[in-house]
Amino acid sequence: MKRTRILVAAALAATLALAGCGQEGAPGAEGSGYEPAVAQNVTVEGSPTFQKMQERGRVIVGVKDDQPGLGFRDATTGQFSGFDVDIAKMIAGGLGFSPDQIDYQVVPSAAREDAIERGEVDYYVGTYTINDKRKQRVGFAGPYYTAGQGLLVRADDTEITGPQTLQGKTVCSATGSTPIQRVRDQNLTSNIVEFQTYTQCVDQLINGQVDAVTTDDAILLGYASQNPEQLKVVGETFSEEPYGVGVPKADTAFRNKVNDLLQAAIDDGTWQTIYDGTLGKAGTPAQPPQIERY
Ligand code: GLU
């Protein structure tokens, strides 16, 4: 499993590099072509979130905008694309809303629980790991994907090969993320730099101000493929990061509905279509995870 991820990394980087994505625009900037089916006459009994969406006539989805292949905003067209964005569109469609009825709200890792609790987003799809701590404040549908923590370093680095080689090195990650917490919990290094976004970490890595960026492999692969001359993903993944759709904690009806939509997308091949058009562009097969209802 872990080995596969590294091979996927290499394959994805190679494919995107061949496609010339490093030069013009970012990988994942172009849409996947996925067109969600828009359901008619949808009801979600007892869901305040759905009621709010219906009254508004629009959906507010929390996303990332700087994670190519997952959640990425094209600076020229303003279009959002990626695996998470297509999952968000699929869910909106299942709730009766077309893609042009979606408003994307960019929310960084550290602000997700706040944004969901305050009702600033209806739901959140953005590399959001399901865990018990977060479940105290928000609900999670899914998981719809499983990533794993990895390391991004400069292409010419030969010293960092895995988490045990980080001692004395400066590692960067996003505030409020599970990977930065793991670096602390496991004392992988005491030199930790944090920013709101991973893009800021990647800039620091390229400039030589930090030695490694750590977060989910799926995110790091996107950065490496944007800039294969300067960046590479090294070592095996060292955690499991099950991605969930963040929803208001008390709205069980809404969480159940999103789980139903994810399950239907897995069963009818939509999940596969979305994966193949985004993260799976390297051609490496992936299995959808088991939906966990609680
Ligand atoms: N999946 C991890 C998390 O939820 C890292 C990616 C992120 O920060 O979104 O914290």
Side-chain angles (χ1 to χ4, degrees):
M1 183 68 190
K2 290 187 173 172
R3 194 170 174 81
T4 316
R5 288 218 184 96
I6 301 308
L7 295 176
V8 174
L12 180 64
T15 307
L16 293 169
L18 279 178
C21 294
Q23 285 80 46
E24 274 169 44
E30 68 288 344
S32 64
Y34 165 65
E35 294 278 351
V38 182
Q40 302 294 318
N41 306 318
V42 182
T43 53
V44 186
E45 203 62 48
S47 167
T49 310
F50 183 69
Q51 199 185 331
K52 217 167 68 171
M53 287 165 53
Q54 279 204 310
E55 285 163 6
R56 202 195 290 122
R58 299 190 67 77
V59 189
I60 306 174
V61 184
V63 291
K64 297 288 186 74
D65 69 349
D66 67 333
Q67 299 183 170
L70 287 153
F72 190 83
R73 183 179 172 278
D74 185 296
T76 315
T77 66
Q79 294 286 319
F80 282 83
S81 66
F83 182 70
D84 284 335
V85 169
D86 279 356
I87 291 286
K89 286 183 186 170
M90 181 281 291
I91 293 167
L95 295 169
F97 295 85
S98 62
D100 57 15
Q101 291 176 297
I102 301 175
D103 292 317
Y104 294 102
Q105 176 89 37
V106 178
V107 181
S109 299
R112 291 182 286 208
E113 288 83 23
D114 279 347
I116 296 168
E117 269 185 342
R118 294 184 191 143
E120 290 165 4
V121 300
D122 297 321
Y123 56 94
Y124 185 95
V125 193
T127 60
Y128 198 9
T129 296
I130 302 171
N131 65 32
D132 289 342
K133 187 173 172 227
R134 291 172 176 171
K135 273 187 190 167
Q136 290 172 8
R137 298 181 60 192
V138 302
F140 285 105
Y144 62 90
Y145 185 74
T146 310
Q149 184 167 354
L151 296 169
L152 182 75
V153 299
R154 284 180 292 275
D156 60 1
D157 188 304
T158 52
E159 292 178 10
I160 300 174
T161 52
Q164 305 316 321
T165 59
L166 292 175
Q167 288 300 330
K169 304 287 184 188
T170 304
V171 175
C172 191
S173 194
T175 306
S177 68
T178 51
I180 199 166
Q181 193 56 46
R182 192 165 291 103
V183 173
R184 293 201 170 101
D185 292 347
Q186 298 185 0
N187 283 315
L188 297 178
T189 179
S190 48
N191 309 327
I192 303 171
V193 175
E194 56 184 284
F195 290 101
Q196 290 295 305
T197 66
Y198 296 109
T199 311
Q200 291 165 289
C201 285
V202 173
D203 288 345
Q204 296 253 315
L205 178 63
I206 293 168
N207 293 340
Q209 287 159 292
V210 303
D211 301 310
V213 179
T214 188
T215 185
D216 305 335
D217 55 350
I219 301 172
L220 298 178
L221 295 175
Y223 295 128
S225 63
Q226 271 189 323
N227 194 348
E229 312 266 285
Q230 287 180 290
L231 302 171
K232 64 179 176 185
V233 175
V234 289
E236 299 190 337
T237 55
F238 50 101
S239 76
E240 292 237 321
E241 308 291 331
Y243 287 175
V245 178
V247 299
K249 181 177 150 110
D251 199 339
T252 310
F254 191 68
R255 176 157 52 83
N256 288 340
K257 178 67 179 178
V258 175
N259 275 328
D260 291 346
L261 293 172
L262 290 171
Q263 190 63 61
I266 289 168
D267 294 343
D268 72 7
T270 302
W271 186 96
Q272 198 62 57
T273 302
I274 290 174
Y275 178 80
D276 291 346
T278 55
L279 283 183
K281 270 191 175 154
T284 315
Q287 293 288 322
Q290 197 73 34
I291 301 290
E292 282 164 25
R293 294 173 187 266
Y294 63 91

